[in-house]
Amino acid sequence: MNNITRNLEPLKDRLRNHSLYSKIKDVDDLKTFSNAHVYAVWDFMSLLKFLQVNLTSISIPWFPSKNTSTSKLINEIVAGEETDEDQKGQPVSHFEMYIDSIEEFGLNTTEILSNLNTLNNIETIENDIDKLDIKSYVKDFLKFTFSVIKTGKVHEVASVFTFGREDLIPDLFIPLIEGINSENNDLDKLIYYFKRHIEVDGDKHGPMSMEMLSYLCDNDPTKISESALIAEKALLARISLWDGIENEIKQRKNNYEKA
């Protein structure tokens, strides 16, 4: 696991230092970002639910799971992501919290929710994604996520979950959003979402995820190699998503200047 982590550092640095962050200057830029990023907030839950199905005890009659530490991690994250509390203390999923936060600053989510409601069949989901009226770079990100899930390899899904969904992203966005919020924009809910994401994840989920992946690989060279390769692909998929959003922001501003 330490070797995988070290080998991924160049890609993680590309994410930490991505030029997208410097392009987000106003609410219109945030709308462009959120209109794409919302799909990554949503598909994260399918990775998590796959792990819950495969690594916790959900059968009837019930029997103990093979690894209680792994079950504890997954159940904790499910509880935090699926039934957290909003600013008013009401139970809500992080996805619903995100939707509420982007609606607050004027992003119409009707088409987003309509798109997601069509993605209800894992067997046809790649074709269903292709039919959506969304940017190709967002489609590619979604299709990567579900292609990993459909392999059925728990260690690969766990690797994407562990290495591909970084806590560093909210840290980077909070100061940008707070700066835009200082201009009297309605972004309090979005700031809360990112801060809550960091708070709920905490420092322990990272080490526990690494422990989970180590358990699943079980010193098997093939599984370790597959986990390393898919982790690299996951980070590249995130970089491509960021590239796509940045290019869309640039294009929108260029069109505005020409007009």
Side-chain angles (χ1 to χ4, degrees):
M1 296 303 104
N2 289 335
N3 287 338
I4 295 176
T5 301
R6 282 194 297 270
N7 291 336
L8 291 175
E9 274 305 309
L11 291 176
K12 292 170 73 174
D13 281 340
R14 285 176 61 184
L15 276 171
R16 293 186 188 103
N17 300 306
H18 200 287
S19 52
L20 167 64
Y21 311 121
S22 65
K23 302 297 188 299
I24 299 177
K25 301 290 188 181
D26 54 36
V27 171
D28 286 336
D29 298 335
L30 268 181
K31 287 181 180 179
T32 301
F33 169 78
S34 297
N35 198 48
H37 179 242
V38 65
Y39 291 94
V41 176
W42 174 77
D43 77 349
F44 167 82
M45 286 303 299
S46 290
L47 292 169
L48 180 56
K49 284 298 181 177
F50 177 92
L51 293 173
Q52 185 182 32
V53 168
N54 284 276
L55 297 176
T56 67
S57 294
I58 60 172
S59 62
I60 301 174
W62 176 88
F63 293 96
S65 65
K66 294 180 180 179
N67 186 298
T68 52
S69 294
T70 296
S71 293
K72 177 179 174 63
L73 165 68
I74 296 302
N75 285 331
E76 277 188 4
I77 297 176
V78 169
E81 291 285 343
E82 198 169 40
T83 55
D84 198 9
E85 292 183 357
D86 64 14
Q87 289 168 295
K88 297 179 180 179
Q90 298 300 311
V92 65
S93 70
H94 277 193
F95 172 73
E96 292 167 307
M97 192 186 297
Y98 191 79
I99 288 291
D100 190 38
S101 73
I102 62 181
E103 287 178 341
E104 182 184 41
F105 62 81
L107 182 57
N108 188 335
T109 61
T110 301
E111 184 176 5
I112 294 169
L113 296 174
S114 177
N115 282 337
L116 293 177
N117 284 334
T118 68
L119 304 179
N120 56 16
N121 187 337
I122 188 65
E123 298 304 321
T124 64
I125 196 161
E126 287 90 348
N127 289 333
D128 294 338
I129 290 170
D130 275 328
K131 296 174 184 177
L132 298 180
D133 185 19
I134 57 177
K135 300 295 183 180
S136 60
Y137 67 86
V138 181
K139 291 181 181 181
D140 290 342
F141 187 86
L142 286 172
K143 285 193 285 187
F144 169 76
T145 297
F146 287 100
S147 70
V148 177
I149 291 172
K150 287 183 71 173
T151 65
K153 294 184 177 181
V154 184
H155 61 282
E156 289 194 350
V157 175
S159 184
V160 171
F161 180 86
T162 299
F163 293 112
R165 303 295 173 133
E166 297 294 334
D167 289 345
L168 60 91
I169 301 304
D171 280 320
L172 292 168
F173 275 110
I174 285 174
L176 296 174
I177 297 169
E178 287 180 334
I180 299 171
N181 194 50
S182 67
E183 302 296 324
N184 297 318
N185 294 297
D186 296 323
L187 304 178
D188 289 343
K189 289 183 178 179
L190 187 61
I191 293 171
Y192 177 83
Y193 164 81
F194 279 122
K195 287 185 174 179
R196 187 64 179 161
H197 187 75
I198 296 170
E199 180 184 349
V200 171
D201 284 350
D203 294 330
K204 64 179 181 178
H205 286 172
M208 289 174 72
S209 295
M210 292 288 285
E211 182 182 341
M212 168 184 69
L213 185 56
S214 180
Y215 163 75
L216 291 171
C217 288
D218 195 26
N219 291 319
D220 183 323
T222 299
K223 289 183 178 180
I224 293 172
S225 177
E226 289 177 342
S227 297
L229 179 60
I230 204 67
E232 181 178 335
K233 290 181 178 179
L235 290 177
L236 287 171
R238 173 71 72 166
I239 290 169
S240 293
L241 181 67
W242 268 202
D243 289 344
I245 296 172
E246 180 182 17
N247 289 334
E248 192 175 350
I249 290 174
K250 288 179 181 177
Q251 184 177 5
R252 179 180 57 78
K253 289 184 174 180
N254 287 337
N255 291 340
Y256 177 79
E257 290 172 359
K258 290 177 182 177

